[in-house]
Amino acid sequence: MRTFTYRFRSPLGGLAADLSARTVPPGEAAAPSVGIHRGVRLLLPRAGLHREDLAWLSFAVALRAEELCARCPKGVHLEIVSLDFPLTDYRPEVAALAMDGWLRGEFDLPDIGVTCSYTGGADPYAFAWGGAEQPLRSPRL
């Protein structure tokens, strides 16, 4: 198991999340899971996930699914052990940023431009998805 720590500092404080995950051989997976692409599955933690966090984690894995299939032709299951974040420094999109960072570290994948920047204004954070379109819009509280 490895933990990826995502931090983005901004004048508002920033965004933060810690994602702990591990790879599981396909034959050993016992947790509930979500199929992402071919043999790539996302296994859910015992404590569960909020639906928006699951959607953003799945999106980040989908961005890398072709690469993962090429590296793991027999399939790969990614078990989310935990996703921890302070409520004051978090938006659901951060789950995707943390997942992308974890995948890059775990599989030595190149940076494809999954980033966050501070823009100020009513919606102070802008997210880039490496050329992909944003899959959903998370309502702000």
Side-chain angles (χ1 to χ4, degrees):
M1 179 184 75
R2 266 187 350 92
T3 299
F4 180 81
T5 300
Y6 178 82
R7 298 290 184 270
F8 177 75
R9 306 280 180 226
S10 78
L12 298 177
L15 300 171
D18 296 337
L19 174 72
S20 296
R22 66 185 187 113
T23 59
V24 178
E28 297 178 20
S33 65
V34 174
I36 304 296
H37 178 73
R38 295 187 190 148
V40 179
R41 297 192 72 80
L42 189 62
L43 282 68
L44 308 180
R46 287 188 178 108
L49 287 171
H50 186 274
R51 62 181 170 78
E52 288 186 17
D53 296 328
L54 175 58
W56 284 105
L57 289 167
S58 298
F59 172 65
V61 175
L63 290 175
R64 301 299 196 141
E66 291 291 334
E67 292 168 292
L68 294 172
C69 285
R71 291 180 187 225
C72 306
K74 293 184 179 182
V76 63
H77 293 179
L78 310 169
E79 181 180 20
I80 304 302
V81 176
S82 66
L83 176 63
D84 300 308
F85 48 86
L87 291 176
T88 58
D89 295 330
Y90 186 73
R91 284 183 43 175
E93 294 93 330
V94 175
L97 297 168
M99 186 80 243
D100 183 69
W102 186 90
L103 288 167
R104 283 186 290 125
E106 186 72 12
F107 294 96
D108 194 29
L109 300 175
D111 185 345
I112 60 168
V114 174
T115 63
C116 178
S117 60
Y118 177 78
T119 57
D123 191 4
Y125 297 106
F127 298 92
W129 305 112
E133 289 190 33
Q134 180 168 313
L136 58 127
R137 179 79 177 150
S138 294
R140 289 192 355 244
L141 298 177

